Amino acid sequence: MRVQGQPYRTIWMEPDDSVWIIDQRFLPHRFVTQEVRTADEMAVAIREMHVRGAGLIGAAAAFGMYLAARESAATGDYFETIRKAAGKLIAARPTAVNLEWAVTRQLAMISDTRSSAENLQVLKQTAQAIADEDAAFCHSIGLHGSTLIRDIAQKKNGAPVNILTHCNAGWLAFVDYGSATAPIYEAFDNGIPLHVWVDETRPRNQGASLTAWELLNHGVPHTLIADNTGGHLMQHGRVDLVITGADRVTRAGDAANKIGTYLKALAAQANNVPLYVALPSSTFDWNIRDGIRDIPIEERSGNEVKYITGLHGNELVEVLVAPEKSPALNYGFDVTPAALITGLITERGICAAAEADILRLFPEKR
Ligand code: MRU
């Protein structure tokens, strides 16, 4: 992804081994980068959503493990310190399984038969590998998913394909490309006419502030809509395809994604609009089948519902939009049952949201 003509990833290492992120809290108004110096700082950056999105928080946690090892090198209780950091990083956010997956992968890399300097090197290489894989997998998701858009475009004889997406499963939610947006970028870059309906995605407005910003940057035609608009558009034939991301998908195909996705899936089913969930394999939770029962759903502060952050003049301000004394409930995610999902777009291809077909693509998980 390019920002003001310059290529960026959402997390990267400088030649001096410092770790940097884009602090997404200031988008779309300001493009702010931040150096993350310690594992604790990384846990805060994840919890307070300087970085967010399933793939990116996985990569961020992997770099957090590298930072933990760097801090611990001089301490006597080297492995203990790294394990504590691992616990903190995993606890930063509960729903996206990528976080736990990346930390577990890093923990498996360290060994007491190696020196701390060698372990540090291994953790650095693995963090980099996780980030590179994330970008490569998202690129493949784009190649596979764009065939769906192309097929619809052919049926529409050149009229733009209208795609609805919820939240931000774009390059800002990963290391690059994105999951739900990768097929859109790929199709757009190949000249397929398309237009994206962008759900604003209350309460934190990732659609309005992040997806719209990304699409605008890339020149993709799009329109921002209030969250409740999708059903109406579908009833009037103005949505050809829904593509969302996911934060955790069970081996049976139930998908947790940003709160509100389930309602879009119900509306899509009622109106015969295909709904695809795009995800890299790091977002599968191979240990569970029943997403409604077994996926932990993050609950965040009710203040995110009661206040909205935006630009007033040159200042970023928080505005109260509800009676101060009203209680508010703020679940970050919901689960869309597999039965409402037309298919899953993965780095290995497209499959049904059903265990047998998922395992056709990932036979090593049988
Ligand atoms: O709370 P967030 O912004 O970290 O939520 C994650 C998301 O952006 C969405 O649920 C997204 O669609 C899936 S993440 C690839």
PDB file of all heavy atoms in Angstrom, residues 24 49 51-57 93 96 165-170 173-174 179-180 201 204 206 210 244-247 256-259 261 278 280 283 298 300 332-333, ligand 1:
ATOM      1  N   GLN A  24      -3.006   3.799  14.219  1.00  0.00           N
ATOM      2  CA  GLN A  24      -4.241   3.972  13.437  1.00  0.00           C
ATOM      3  C   GLN A  24      -5.292   4.829  14.128  1.00  0.00           C
ATOM      4  O   GLN A  24      -6.301   5.183  13.523  1.00  0.00           O
ATOM      5  CB  GLN A  24      -4.823   2.589  13.112  1.00  0.00           C
ATOM      6  CG  GLN A  24      -3.856   1.737  12.319  1.00  0.00           C
ATOM      7  CD  GLN A  24      -4.452   0.430  11.844  1.00  0.00           C
ATOM      8  OE1 GLN A  24      -5.661   0.259  11.797  1.00  0.00           O
ATOM      9  NE2 GLN A  24      -3.588  -0.504  11.469  1.00  0.00           N
ATOM     10  N   MET A  49      -5.608  -0.286  20.616  1.00  0.00           N
ATOM     11  CA  MET A  49      -5.920  -0.248  19.188  1.00  0.00           C
ATOM     12  C   MET A  49      -5.150   0.822  18.395  1.00  0.00           C
ATOM     13  O   MET A  49      -5.693   1.420  17.474  1.00  0.00           O
ATOM     14  CB  MET A  49      -7.441  -0.146  18.986  1.00  0.00           C
ATOM     15  CG  MET A  49      -8.134  -1.400  19.502  1.00  0.00           C
ATOM     16  SD  MET A  49      -9.931  -1.390  19.449  1.00  0.00           S
ATOM     17  CE  MET A  49     -10.274  -1.409  17.703  1.00  0.00           C
ATOM     18  N   VAL A  51      -2.734  -0.435  16.866  1.00  0.00           N
ATOM     19  CA  VAL A  51      -2.817  -1.432  15.792  1.00  0.00           C
ATOM     20  C   VAL A  51      -4.036  -2.289  16.077  1.00  0.00           C
ATOM     21  O   VAL A  51      -4.377  -2.513  17.234  1.00  0.00           O
ATOM     22  CB  VAL A  51      -1.559  -2.331  15.725  1.00  0.00           C
ATOM     23  CG1 VAL A  51      -0.387  -1.580  15.151  1.00  0.00           C
ATOM     24  CG2 VAL A  51      -1.215  -2.932  17.081  1.00  0.00           C
ATOM     25  N   ARG A  52      -4.714  -2.727  15.009  1.00  0.00           N
ATOM     26  CA  ARG A  52      -5.905  -3.561  15.199  1.00  0.00           C
ATOM     27  C   ARG A  52      -6.108  -4.373  13.926  1.00  0.00           C
ATOM     28  O   ARG A  52      -5.409  -4.188  12.946  1.00  0.00           O
ATOM     29  CB  ARG A  52      -7.151  -2.747  15.617  1.00  0.00           C
ATOM     30  CG  ARG A  52      -7.266  -1.336  15.173  1.00  0.00           C
ATOM     31  CD  ARG A  52      -7.434  -1.134  13.716  1.00  0.00           C
ATOM     32  NE  ARG A  52      -8.502  -1.950  13.200  1.00  0.00           N
ATOM     33  CZ  ARG A  52      -8.631  -2.340  11.960  1.00  0.00           C
ATOM     34  NH1 ARG A  52      -7.727  -1.987  11.047  1.00  0.00           N
ATOM     35  NH2 ARG A  52      -9.630  -3.081  11.552  1.00  0.00           N
ATOM     36  N   GLY A  53      -7.099  -5.272  13.984  1.00  0.00           N
ATOM     37  CA  GLY A  53      -7.287  -6.166  12.847  1.00  0.00           C
ATOM     38  C   GLY A  53      -6.530  -7.467  13.119  1.00  0.00           C
ATOM     39  O   GLY A  53      -5.405  -7.448  13.628  1.00  0.00           O
ATOM     40  N   ALA A  54      -7.175  -8.584  12.759  1.00  0.00           N
ATOM     41  CA  ALA A  54      -6.667  -9.895  13.189  1.00  0.00           C
ATOM     42  C   ALA A  54      -5.214 -10.157  12.777  1.00  0.00           C
ATOM     43  O   ALA A  54      -4.367 -10.519  13.606  1.00  0.00           O
ATOM     44  CB  ALA A  54      -7.586 -10.976  12.627  1.00  0.00           C
ATOM     45  N   GLY A  55      -4.929  -9.991  11.489  1.00  0.00           N
ATOM     46  CA  GLY A  55      -3.588 -10.325  11.007  1.00  0.00           C
ATOM     47  C   GLY A  55      -2.531  -9.419  11.609  1.00  0.00           C
ATOM     48  O   GLY A  55      -1.447  -9.860  12.007  1.00  0.00           O
ATOM     49  N   LEU A  56      -2.867  -8.134  11.698  1.00  0.00           N
ATOM     50  CA  LEU A  56      -1.874  -7.188  12.211  1.00  0.00           C
ATOM     51  C   LEU A  56      -1.588  -7.407  13.693  1.00  0.00           C
ATOM     52  O   LEU A  56      -0.429  -7.341  14.113  1.00  0.00           O
ATOM     53  CB  LEU A  56      -2.331  -5.737  11.954  1.00  0.00           C
ATOM     54  CG  LEU A  56      -1.401  -4.665  12.532  1.00  0.00           C
ATOM     55  CD1 LEU A  56       0.041  -4.846  12.057  1.00  0.00           C
ATOM     56  CD2 LEU A  56      -1.895  -3.270  12.178  1.00  0.00           C
ATOM     57  N   ILE A  57      -2.612  -7.695  14.491  1.00  0.00           N
ATOM     58  CA  ILE A  57      -2.286  -7.893  15.910  1.00  0.00           C
ATOM     59  C   ILE A  57      -1.494  -9.193  16.103  1.00  0.00           C
ATOM     60  O   ILE A  57      -0.690  -9.291  17.028  1.00  0.00           O
ATOM     61  CB  ILE A  57      -3.502  -7.767  16.867  1.00  0.00           C
ATOM     62  CG1 ILE A  57      -4.602  -8.787  16.594  1.00  0.00           C
ATOM     63  CG2 ILE A  57      -4.053  -6.353  16.851  1.00  0.00           C
ATOM     64  CD1 ILE A  57      -5.772  -8.690  17.596  1.00  0.00           C
ATOM     65  N   ARG A  93      -6.098  -8.779  23.637  1.00  0.00           N
ATOM     66  CA  ARG A  93      -7.426  -8.814  23.010  1.00  0.00           C
ATOM     67  C   ARG A  93      -7.834 -10.280  22.815  1.00  0.00           C
ATOM     68  O   ARG A  93      -7.027 -11.081  22.335  1.00  0.00           O
ATOM     69  CB  ARG A  93      -7.418  -8.065  21.653  1.00  0.00           C
ATOM     70  CG  ARG A  93      -7.158  -6.574  21.817  1.00  0.00           C
ATOM     71  CD  ARG A  93      -7.502  -5.796  20.581  1.00  0.00           C
ATOM     72  NE  ARG A  93      -8.928  -5.702  20.359  1.00  0.00           N
ATOM     73  CZ  ARG A  93      -9.464  -5.265  19.224  1.00  0.00           C
ATOM     74  NH1 ARG A  93      -8.687  -4.885  18.222  1.00  0.00           N
ATOM     75  NH2 ARG A  93     -10.772  -5.187  19.089  1.00  0.00           N
ATOM     76  N   ALA A  96      -9.613 -12.262  18.245  1.00  0.00           N
ATOM     77  CA  ALA A  96      -8.828 -12.685  17.071  1.00  0.00           C
ATOM     78  C   ALA A  96      -7.811 -13.745  17.490  1.00  0.00           C
ATOM     79  O   ALA A  96      -6.949 -13.497  18.333  1.00  0.00           O
ATOM     80  CB  ALA A  96      -8.136 -11.489  16.444  1.00  0.00           C
ATOM     81  N   THR A 165     -18.850  -4.118   2.262  1.00  0.00           N
ATOM     82  CA  THR A 165     -17.933  -4.650   3.276  1.00  0.00           C
ATOM     83  C   THR A 165     -18.197  -3.982   4.623  1.00  0.00           C
ATOM     84  O   THR A 165     -18.722  -2.869   4.690  1.00  0.00           O
ATOM     85  CB  THR A 165     -16.453  -4.526   2.854  1.00  0.00           C
ATOM     86  OG1 THR A 165     -15.655  -5.324   3.728  1.00  0.00           O
ATOM     87  CG2 THR A 165     -15.961  -3.086   2.915  1.00  0.00           C
ATOM     88  N   HIS A 166     -17.848  -4.698   5.676  1.00  0.00           N
ATOM     89  CA  HIS A 166     -18.114  -4.228   7.038  1.00  0.00           C
ATOM     90  C   HIS A 166     -16.787  -4.102   7.769  1.00  0.00           C
ATOM     91  O   HIS A 166     -15.924  -4.958   7.642  1.00  0.00           O
ATOM     92  CB  HIS A 166     -19.022  -5.245   7.736  1.00  0.00           C
ATOM     93  CG  HIS A 166     -19.569  -4.785   9.047  1.00  0.00           C
ATOM     94  ND1 HIS A 166     -20.468  -3.741   9.161  1.00  0.00           N
ATOM     95  CD2 HIS A 166     -19.347  -5.224  10.311  1.00  0.00           C
ATOM     96  CE1 HIS A 166     -20.781  -3.560  10.436  1.00  0.00           C
ATOM     97  NE2 HIS A 166     -20.111  -4.446  11.157  1.00  0.00           N
ATOM     98  N   CYS A 167     -16.638  -3.045   8.536  1.00  0.00           N
ATOM     99  CA  CYS A 167     -15.427  -2.803   9.335  1.00  0.00           C
ATOM    100  C   CYS A 167     -14.224  -2.579   8.421  1.00  0.00           C
ATOM    101  O   CYS A 167     -14.369  -2.130   7.281  1.00  0.00           O
ATOM    102  CB  CYS A 167     -15.164  -3.948  10.309  1.00  0.00           C
ATOM    103  SG  CYS A 167     -13.990  -3.490  11.616  1.00  0.00           S
ATOM    104  N   ASN A 168     -13.042  -2.850   8.918  1.00  0.00           N
ATOM    105  CA  ASN A 168     -11.854  -2.726   8.077  1.00  0.00           C
ATOM    106  C   ASN A 168     -11.082  -4.027   8.097  1.00  0.00           C
ATOM    107  O   ASN A 168     -10.424  -4.363   9.087  1.00  0.00           O
ATOM    108  CB  ASN A 168     -10.925  -1.595   8.540  1.00  0.00           C
ATOM    109  CG  ASN A 168      -9.617  -1.608   7.754  1.00  0.00           C
ATOM    110  OD1 ASN A 168      -8.614  -2.148   8.198  1.00  0.00           O
ATOM    111  ND2 ASN A 168      -9.632  -1.060   6.555  1.00  0.00           N
ATOM    112  N   ALA A 169     -11.241  -4.786   7.035  1.00  0.00           N
ATOM    113  CA  ALA A 169     -10.393  -5.960   6.832  1.00  0.00           C
ATOM    114  C   ALA A 169      -9.509  -5.637   5.638  1.00  0.00           C
ATOM    115  O   ALA A 169      -9.385  -6.394   4.688  1.00  0.00           O
ATOM    116  CB  ALA A 169     -11.230  -7.204   6.610  1.00  0.00           C
ATOM    117  N   GLY A 170      -8.914  -4.466   5.704  1.00  0.00           N
ATOM    118  CA  GLY A 170      -8.073  -3.959   4.630  1.00  0.00           C
ATOM    119  C   GLY A 170      -6.603  -4.119   4.986  1.00  0.00           C
ATOM    120  O   GLY A 170      -6.256  -4.832   5.930  1.00  0.00           O
ATOM    121  N   ALA A 173      -5.603  -3.774   8.514  1.00  0.00           N
ATOM    122  CA  ALA A 173      -5.922  -4.842   9.474  1.00  0.00           C
ATOM    123  C   ALA A 173      -4.924  -5.991   9.372  1.00  0.00           C
ATOM    124  O   ALA A 173      -4.994  -6.945  10.146  1.00  0.00           O
ATOM    125  CB  ALA A 173      -7.335  -5.359   9.227  1.00  0.00           C
ATOM    126  N   PHE A 174      -4.022  -5.882   8.409  1.00  0.00           N
ATOM    127  CA  PHE A 174      -3.011  -6.933   8.190  1.00  0.00           C
ATOM    128  C   PHE A 174      -1.660  -6.239   8.050  1.00  0.00           C
ATOM    129  O   PHE A 174      -1.517  -5.077   8.421  1.00  0.00           O
ATOM    130  CB  PHE A 174      -3.365  -7.749   6.937  1.00  0.00           C
ATOM    131  CG  PHE A 174      -4.568  -8.633   7.181  1.00  0.00           C
ATOM    132  CD1 PHE A 174      -5.855  -8.146   6.995  1.00  0.00           C
ATOM    133  CD2 PHE A 174      -4.406  -9.923   7.643  1.00  0.00           C
ATOM    134  CE1 PHE A 174      -6.957  -8.944   7.264  1.00  0.00           C
ATOM    135  CE2 PHE A 174      -5.506 -10.727   7.917  1.00  0.00           C
ATOM    136  CZ  PHE A 174      -6.782 -10.234   7.726  1.00  0.00           C
ATOM    137  N   SER A 179      -7.609  -8.685   3.862  1.00  0.00           N
ATOM    138  CA  SER A 179      -8.280  -9.940   3.488  1.00  0.00           C
ATOM    139  C   SER A 179      -9.506  -9.602   2.630  1.00  0.00           C
ATOM    140  O   SER A 179      -9.515  -9.847   1.424  1.00  0.00           O
ATOM    141  CB  SER A 179      -8.655 -10.746   4.732  1.00  0.00           C
ATOM    142  OG  SER A 179      -9.467  -9.974   5.610  1.00  0.00           O
ATOM    143  N   ALA A 180     -10.522  -8.970   3.215  1.00  0.00           N
ATOM    144  CA  ALA A 180     -11.731  -8.648   2.442  1.00  0.00           C
ATOM    145  C   ALA A 180     -11.430  -7.678   1.294  1.00  0.00           C
ATOM    146  O   ALA A 180     -12.072  -7.741   0.240  1.00  0.00           O
ATOM    147  CB  ALA A 180     -12.797  -8.062   3.365  1.00  0.00           C
ATOM    148  N   THR A 201     -19.500   1.238  10.524  1.00  0.00           N
ATOM    149  CA  THR A 201     -19.025   0.321  11.568  1.00  0.00           C
ATOM    150  C   THR A 201     -18.882   0.974  12.934  1.00  0.00           C
ATOM    151  O   THR A 201     -17.793   1.087  13.499  1.00  0.00           O
ATOM    152  CB  THR A 201     -17.711  -0.406  11.155  1.00  0.00           C
ATOM    153  OG1 THR A 201     -17.775  -0.755   9.774  1.00  0.00           O
ATOM    154  CG2 THR A 201     -17.516  -1.662  11.990  1.00  0.00           C
ATOM    155  N   ARG A 204     -16.613   2.091  16.693  1.00  0.00           N
ATOM    156  CA  ARG A 204     -15.313   2.737  16.512  1.00  0.00           C
ATOM    157  C   ARG A 204     -15.091   3.229  15.086  1.00  0.00           C
ATOM    158  O   ARG A 204     -14.042   3.797  14.770  1.00  0.00           O
ATOM    159  CB  ARG A 204     -14.186   1.794  16.942  1.00  0.00           C
ATOM    160  CG  ARG A 204     -14.110   1.618  18.459  1.00  0.00           C
ATOM    161  CD  ARG A 204     -12.877   0.839  18.860  1.00  0.00           C
ATOM    162  NE  ARG A 204     -11.657   1.532  18.529  1.00  0.00           N
ATOM    163  CZ  ARG A 204     -10.878   2.167  19.399  1.00  0.00           C
ATOM    164  NH1 ARG A 204     -11.207   2.171  20.675  1.00  0.00           N
ATOM    165  NH2 ARG A 204      -9.776   2.762  19.016  1.00  0.00           N
ATOM    166  N   GLN A 206     -14.438   1.888  12.134  1.00  0.00           N
ATOM    167  CA  GLN A 206     -13.285   1.456  11.315  1.00  0.00           C
ATOM    168  C   GLN A 206     -13.589   1.545   9.816  1.00  0.00           C
ATOM    169  O   GLN A 206     -12.687   1.735   9.002  1.00  0.00           O
ATOM    170  CB  GLN A 206     -12.888   0.009  11.651  1.00  0.00           C
ATOM    171  CG  GLN A 206     -12.243  -0.169  13.013  1.00  0.00           C
ATOM    172  CD  GLN A 206     -13.262  -0.573  14.064  1.00  0.00           C
ATOM    173  OE1 GLN A 206     -14.415  -0.153  14.009  1.00  0.00           O
ATOM    174  NE2 GLN A 206     -12.845  -1.352  15.036  1.00  0.00           N
ATOM    175  N   LEU A 210     -11.104   4.059   8.355  1.00  0.00           N
ATOM    176  CA  LEU A 210      -9.974   3.289   7.817  1.00  0.00           C
ATOM    177  C   LEU A 210     -10.245   2.743   6.402  1.00  0.00           C
ATOM    178  O   LEU A 210      -9.453   2.969   5.495  1.00  0.00           O
ATOM    179  CB  LEU A 210      -9.626   2.133   8.765  1.00  0.00           C
ATOM    180  CG  LEU A 210      -9.326   2.549  10.214  1.00  0.00           C
ATOM    181  CD1 LEU A 210      -9.045   1.330  11.085  1.00  0.00           C
ATOM    182  CD2 LEU A 210      -8.152   3.525  10.282  1.00  0.00           C
ATOM    183  N   THR A 244     -16.544  -9.899   3.809  1.00  0.00           N
ATOM    184  CA  THR A 244     -16.052  -9.395   5.101  1.00  0.00           C
ATOM    185  C   THR A 244     -14.768 -10.132   5.454  1.00  0.00           C
ATOM    186  O   THR A 244     -14.424 -11.144   4.838  1.00  0.00           O
ATOM    187  CB  THR A 244     -17.061  -9.633   6.249  1.00  0.00           C
ATOM    188  OG1 THR A 244     -17.054 -11.033   6.589  1.00  0.00           O
ATOM    189  CG2 THR A 244     -18.461  -9.197   5.878  1.00  0.00           C
ATOM    190  N   GLY A 245     -14.107  -9.640   6.480  1.00  0.00           N
ATOM    191  CA  GLY A 245     -12.970 -10.355   7.043  1.00  0.00           C
ATOM    192  C   GLY A 245     -13.454 -11.246   8.168  1.00  0.00           C
ATOM    193  O   GLY A 245     -14.660 -11.514   8.303  1.00  0.00           O
ATOM    194  N   ALA A 246     -12.524 -11.698   8.991  1.00  0.00           N
ATOM    195  CA  ALA A 246     -12.867 -12.521  10.155  1.00  0.00           C
ATOM    196  C   ALA A 246     -11.755 -12.404  11.191  1.00  0.00           C
ATOM    197  O   ALA A 246     -10.599 -12.125  10.846  1.00  0.00           O
ATOM    198  CB  ALA A 246     -13.040 -13.973   9.757  1.00  0.00           C
ATOM    199  N   ASP A 247     -12.148 -12.599  12.425  1.00  0.00           N
ATOM    200  CA  ASP A 247     -11.180 -12.565  13.522  1.00  0.00           C
ATOM    201  C   ASP A 247     -10.903 -13.961  14.068  1.00  0.00           C
ATOM    202  O   ASP A 247      -9.864 -14.212  14.663  1.00  0.00           O
ATOM    203  CB  ASP A 247     -11.689 -11.638  14.628  1.00  0.00           C
ATOM    204  CG  ASP A 247     -11.796 -10.219  14.114  1.00  0.00           C
ATOM    205  OD1 ASP A 247     -12.823  -9.881  13.499  1.00  0.00           O
ATOM    206  OD2 ASP A 247     -10.812  -9.472  14.240  1.00  0.00           O
ATOM    207  N   ALA A 256     -16.332 -15.377  13.476  1.00  0.00           N
ATOM    208  CA  ALA A 256     -16.448 -14.165  14.291  1.00  0.00           C
ATOM    209  C   ALA A 256     -15.872 -13.003  13.509  1.00  0.00           C
ATOM    210  O   ALA A 256     -14.781 -13.104  12.934  1.00  0.00           O
ATOM    211  CB  ALA A 256     -15.696 -14.335  15.605  1.00  0.00           C
ATOM    212  N   ASN A 257     -16.608 -11.921  13.466  1.00  0.00           N
ATOM    213  CA  ASN A 257     -16.115 -10.706  12.815  1.00  0.00           C
ATOM    214  C   ASN A 257     -16.736  -9.524  13.560  1.00  0.00           C
ATOM    215  O   ASN A 257     -17.534  -9.699  14.497  1.00  0.00           O
ATOM    216  CB  ASN A 257     -16.492 -10.700  11.331  1.00  0.00           C
ATOM    217  CG  ASN A 257     -15.757  -9.619  10.557  1.00  0.00           C
ATOM    218  OD1 ASN A 257     -14.533  -9.515  10.647  1.00  0.00           O
ATOM    219  ND2 ASN A 257     -16.474  -8.794   9.822  1.00  0.00           N
ATOM    220  N   LYS A 258     -16.384  -8.333  13.136  1.00  0.00           N
ATOM    221  CA  LYS A 258     -16.843  -7.122  13.824  1.00  0.00           C
ATOM    222  C   LYS A 258     -18.355  -7.144  14.054  1.00  0.00           C
ATOM    223  O   LYS A 258     -19.122  -7.568  13.180  1.00  0.00           O
ATOM    224  CB  LYS A 258     -16.420  -5.908  12.986  1.00  0.00           C
ATOM    225  CG  LYS A 258     -16.753  -4.552  13.564  1.00  0.00           C
ATOM    226  CD  LYS A 258     -16.242  -4.358  14.983  1.00  0.00           C
ATOM    227  CE  LYS A 258     -14.742  -4.527  15.101  1.00  0.00           C
ATOM    228  NZ  LYS A 258     -14.305  -4.608  16.524  1.00  0.00           N
ATOM    229  N   ILE A 259     -18.762  -6.651  15.212  1.00  0.00           N
ATOM    230  CA  ILE A 259     -20.176  -6.653  15.589  1.00  0.00           C
ATOM    231  C   ILE A 259     -21.017  -6.040  14.450  1.00  0.00           C
ATOM    232  O   ILE A 259     -20.662  -5.008  13.885  1.00  0.00           O
ATOM    233  CB  ILE A 259     -20.369  -5.871  16.918  1.00  0.00           C
ATOM    234  CG1 ILE A 259     -21.755  -6.059  17.494  1.00  0.00           C
ATOM    235  CG2 ILE A 259     -20.036  -4.390  16.783  1.00  0.00           C
ATOM    236  CD1 ILE A 259     -21.907  -7.305  18.290  1.00  0.00           C
ATOM    237  N   THR A 261     -21.794  -7.912  11.714  1.00  0.00           N
ATOM    238  CA  THR A 261     -21.622  -8.770  10.529  1.00  0.00           C
ATOM    239  C   THR A 261     -22.774  -9.772  10.426  1.00  0.00           C
ATOM    240  O   THR A 261     -23.299 -10.045   9.342  1.00  0.00           O
ATOM    241  CB  THR A 261     -20.275  -9.511  10.605  1.00  0.00           C
ATOM    242  OG1 THR A 261     -19.236  -8.549  10.783  1.00  0.00           O
ATOM    243  CG2 THR A 261     -20.012 -10.312   9.348  1.00  0.00           C
ATOM    244  N   ALA A 278     -13.323 -13.606   3.994  1.00  0.00           N
ATOM    245  CA  ALA A 278     -11.936 -13.758   3.548  1.00  0.00           C
ATOM    246  C   ALA A 278     -11.021 -13.858   4.757  1.00  0.00           C
ATOM    247  O   ALA A 278     -11.129 -13.042   5.685  1.00  0.00           O
ATOM    248  CB  ALA A 278     -11.542 -12.560   2.685  1.00  0.00           C
ATOM    249  N   PRO A 280      -6.854 -15.403   6.126  1.00  0.00           N
ATOM    250  CA  PRO A 280      -5.665 -16.247   5.999  1.00  0.00           C
ATOM    251  C   PRO A 280      -5.793 -17.413   6.982  1.00  0.00           C
ATOM    252  O   PRO A 280      -6.555 -17.329   7.953  1.00  0.00           O
ATOM    253  CB  PRO A 280      -4.523 -15.311   6.416  1.00  0.00           C
ATOM    254  CG  PRO A 280      -5.157 -14.342   7.352  1.00  0.00           C
ATOM    255  CD  PRO A 280      -6.599 -14.206   6.931  1.00  0.00           C
ATOM    256  N   THR A 283      -6.181 -17.385  10.842  1.00  0.00           N
ATOM    257  CA  THR A 283      -7.424 -16.971  11.517  1.00  0.00           C
ATOM    258  C   THR A 283      -8.343 -18.165  11.813  1.00  0.00           C
ATOM    259  O   THR A 283      -9.369 -18.014  12.462  1.00  0.00           O
ATOM    260  CB  THR A 283      -8.129 -15.891  10.652  1.00  0.00           C
ATOM    261  OG1 THR A 283      -7.230 -14.785  10.508  1.00  0.00           O
ATOM    262  CG2 THR A 283      -9.407 -15.379  11.266  1.00  0.00           C
ATOM    263  N   GLU A 298     -14.989 -10.163  22.701  1.00  0.00           N
ATOM    264  CA  GLU A 298     -14.444  -9.034  23.454  1.00  0.00           C
ATOM    265  C   GLU A 298     -15.545  -8.047  23.829  1.00  0.00           C
ATOM    266  O   GLU A 298     -16.384  -7.710  22.994  1.00  0.00           O
ATOM    267  CB  GLU A 298     -13.391  -8.329  22.583  1.00  0.00           C
ATOM    268  CG  GLU A 298     -12.797  -7.078  23.204  1.00  0.00           C
ATOM    269  CD  GLU A 298     -11.724  -6.460  22.304  1.00  0.00           C
ATOM    270  OE1 GLU A 298     -11.587  -6.850  21.131  1.00  0.00           O
ATOM    271  OE2 GLU A 298     -11.022  -5.573  22.799  1.00  0.00           O
ATOM    272  N   ARG A 300     -15.857  -4.211  25.184  1.00  0.00           N
ATOM    273  CA  ARG A 300     -15.049  -3.011  25.397  1.00  0.00           C
ATOM    274  C   ARG A 300     -15.861  -1.973  26.169  1.00  0.00           C
ATOM    275  O   ARG A 300     -17.052  -2.162  26.439  1.00  0.00           O
ATOM    276  CB  ARG A 300     -14.584  -2.444  24.043  1.00  0.00           C
ATOM    277  CG  ARG A 300     -13.722  -3.431  23.265  1.00  0.00           C
ATOM    278  CD  ARG A 300     -13.212  -2.839  21.971  1.00  0.00           C
ATOM    279  NE  ARG A 300     -12.334  -1.701  22.191  1.00  0.00           N
ATOM    280  CZ  ARG A 300     -11.035  -1.782  22.454  1.00  0.00           C
ATOM    281  NH1 ARG A 300     -10.443  -2.965  22.523  1.00  0.00           N
ATOM    282  NH2 ARG A 300     -10.316  -0.698  22.631  1.00  0.00           N
ATOM    283  N   GLY A 332     -17.546  -6.255  20.912  1.00  0.00           N
ATOM    284  CA  GLY A 332     -16.749  -5.912  19.732  1.00  0.00           C
ATOM    285  C   GLY A 332     -17.049  -6.778  18.509  1.00  0.00           C
ATOM    286  O   GLY A 332     -16.802  -6.364  17.377  1.00  0.00           O
ATOM    287  N   PHE A 333     -17.553  -7.983  18.738  1.00  0.00           N
ATOM    288  CA  PHE A 333     -17.663  -8.951  17.637  1.00  0.00           C
ATOM    289  C   PHE A 333     -18.957  -9.733  17.757  1.00  0.00           C
ATOM    290  O   PHE A 333     -19.566  -9.786  18.828  1.00  0.00           O
ATOM    291  CB  PHE A 333     -16.470  -9.925  17.677  1.00  0.00           C
ATOM    292  CG  PHE A 333     -15.146  -9.215  17.586  1.00  0.00           C
ATOM    293  CD1 PHE A 333     -14.478  -8.787  18.738  1.00  0.00           C
ATOM    294  CD2 PHE A 333     -14.576  -8.929  16.355  1.00  0.00           C
ATOM    295  CE1 PHE A 333     -13.274  -8.097  18.655  1.00  0.00           C
ATOM    296  CE2 PHE A 333     -13.374  -8.241  16.260  1.00  0.00           C
ATOM    297  CZ  PHE A 333     -12.723  -7.825  17.418  1.00  0.00           C
TER     298      PHE A 333
HETATM  299  O1  MRU B   1     -11.652  -4.307  16.584  1.00  0.00           O
HETATM  300  P1  MRU B   1     -10.806  -4.448  15.365  1.00  0.00           P
HETATM  301  O2  MRU B   1     -10.746  -3.230  14.523  1.00  0.00           O
HETATM  302  O3  MRU B   1      -9.462  -5.056  15.640  1.00  0.00           O
HETATM  303  O4  MRU B   1     -11.651  -5.531  14.592  1.00  0.00           O
HETATM  304  C1  MRU B   1     -11.134  -6.352  13.678  1.00  0.00           C
HETATM  305  C2  MRU B   1     -11.684  -5.992  12.399  1.00  0.00           C
HETATM  306  O5  MRU B   1     -11.207  -5.040  11.814  1.00  0.00           O
HETATM  307  C3  MRU B   1     -12.776  -6.704  11.777  1.00  0.00           C
HETATM  308  O6  MRU B   1     -13.508  -7.545  12.548  1.00  0.00           O
HETATM  309  C4  MRU B   1     -12.308  -7.259  10.475  1.00  0.00           C
HETATM  310  O7  MRU B   1     -13.379  -7.398   9.651  1.00  0.00           O
HETATM  311  C5  MRU B   1     -11.575  -8.546  10.601  1.00  0.00           C
HETATM  312  S1  MRU B   1      -9.934  -8.334  11.018  1.00  0.00           S
HETATM  313  C6  MRU B   1      -9.163  -8.870   9.636  1.00  0.00           C
END
